[in-house]
Amino acid sequence: MTRFALTIEFDGRPFMGWQRQAHGPSVQQSLEDAVFAMTGERTNVYAAGRTDAGVHGLAMRAHVDLEKAVDAFRLMEALNALVRPDPIAVTACEAVPDYWHARFSCIGRAYEYRIVNRRAPLTWEAGLAWQVPQPLDTDAMADAAGELVGRHDFTTFRSVHCQADSPVRTLDQFDVERLGERVIIQAAARSFLHHQVRSMVGCLAMIGMGRWTCDDLVDALAAKDRARLGLNAPPDGLFFVRAIY
């Protein structure tokens, strides 16, 4: 048996998320079906993390174990042919030791959230960014983001459906940058709670709109109460950027 590490890019719009679902298509299912079509083996493709419906991947890391003898380049080429027409691409593939695990060996995960701050409707970026027509004060957003960096109980920013054992996480990076009409938010941590990034971004946007202050964000964090969340940003602008090993 050989373990292969995959780097995967995908457009999340057609999918219910990374993980195989009974009620709709997933990235995992598409890849596992492609592996079966190539090798005849029913096996799991394990990823560094899960993504919600509509969330995108720039460089998701995953692994798959195969009994069939195949080299990494041929596996990558076959999977890219067999996942069509799903918007998934395996951009790298290599054999790795059996002890390497896409999820459990991962020591950090990074996401990027993209906002387009303009009144004109989105065209090619529709579904790939969150359009906020109101002017955003990105300086206020950046100042407030720093309040969430560090180790906290993120219950307020956690989905009620989150299955994590603890709401405590250490947020290593949470940066806001304006590039013209685009607002880019970078988040990095060892791991994230379900909806954590989207919830934090939504509250920053409320600050940028002038509907919340930094004190409101701090109070919401301290409340440890999901009912105190200001806004959960849509999945459209969220991208899994990288996994760190």
Side-chain angles (χ1 to χ4, degrees), residues 172-193:
D172 298 316
Q173 177 191 13
F174 198 39
D175 296 331
V176 181
E177 180 183 15
R178 178 178 283 278
L179 301 171
E181 64 185 15
R182 286 166 178 77
V183 179
I184 307 300
I185 300 171
Q186 305 280 354
R190 183 178 183 90
S191 62
F192 289 91
L193 302 167

Side-chain angles (χ1 to χ4, degrees), residues 20-217:
R20 182 183 283 270
Q21 305 284 338
H23 58 283
S26 67
V27 180
Q28 182 184 29
Q29 177 183 347
S30 182
L31 285 164
E32 289 176 353
D33 288 349
V35 169
F36 177 73
M38 179 194 181
T39 66
E41 298 177 38
R42 280 293 179 195
T43 185
N44 293 321
V45 178
Y46 296 96
R50 301 176 181 179
T51 57
D52 296 332
V55 175
H56 317 291
L58 296 181
M60 176 63 78
R61 294 281 277 169
H63 80 260
V64 62
D65 294 328
L66 295 180
E67 296 282 358
K68 183 180 178 70
V70 59
D71 71 34
F73 179 77
R74 181 165 174 255
L75 175 61
M76 180 176 69
E77 291 286 283
L79 292 180
N80 283 333
L82 293 167
V83 294
R84 295 172 183 163
D86 288 343
I88 300 171
V90 179
T91 60
C93 179
E94 60 181 329
V96 292
D98 292 346
Y99 60 78
W100 188 91
H101 195 286
R103 178 183 175 191
F104 298 120
S105 299
C106 185
I107 60 171
R109 295 159 178 87
Y111 285 87
E112 177 176 295
Y113 198 98
R114 301 176 183 179
I115 297 173
V116 178
N117 189 204
R118 74 181 193 195
R119 292 191 61 81
L122 301 185
T123 55
W124 64 271
E125 286 182 291
L128 299 174
W130 179 21
Q131 182 192 3
V132 178
Q134 305 96 317
L136 290 174
D137 181 345
T138 47
D139 289 337
M141 293 170 65
D143 289 343
E147 298 291 341
L148 297 180
V149 174
R151 186 173 177 82
H152 303 287
D153 182 326
F154 283 100
T155 296
T156 302
F157 303 91
R158 174 191 194 185
S159 167
V160 294
H161 302 295
C162 182
Q163 298 178 356
D165 293 335
S166 170
V168 176
R169 290 292 184 273
T170 299
L171 185 62
D172 298 316
Q173 177 191 13
F174 198 39
D175 296 331
V176 181
E177 180 183 15
R178 178 178 283 278
L179 301 171
E181 64 185 15
R182 286 166 178 77
V183 179
I184 307 300
I185 300 171
Q186 305 280 354
R190 183 178 183 90
S191 62
F192 289 91
L193 302 167
H194 188 196
H195 282 189
Q196 182 182 347
V197 177
R198 290 171 54 192
S199 296
M200 295 189 303
V201 168
C203 291
L204 286 191
M206 289 188 67
I207 291 170
M209 297 174 198
R211 294 166 54 188
W212 262 25
T213 66
C214 183
D215 287 343
D216 291 323
L217 179 71

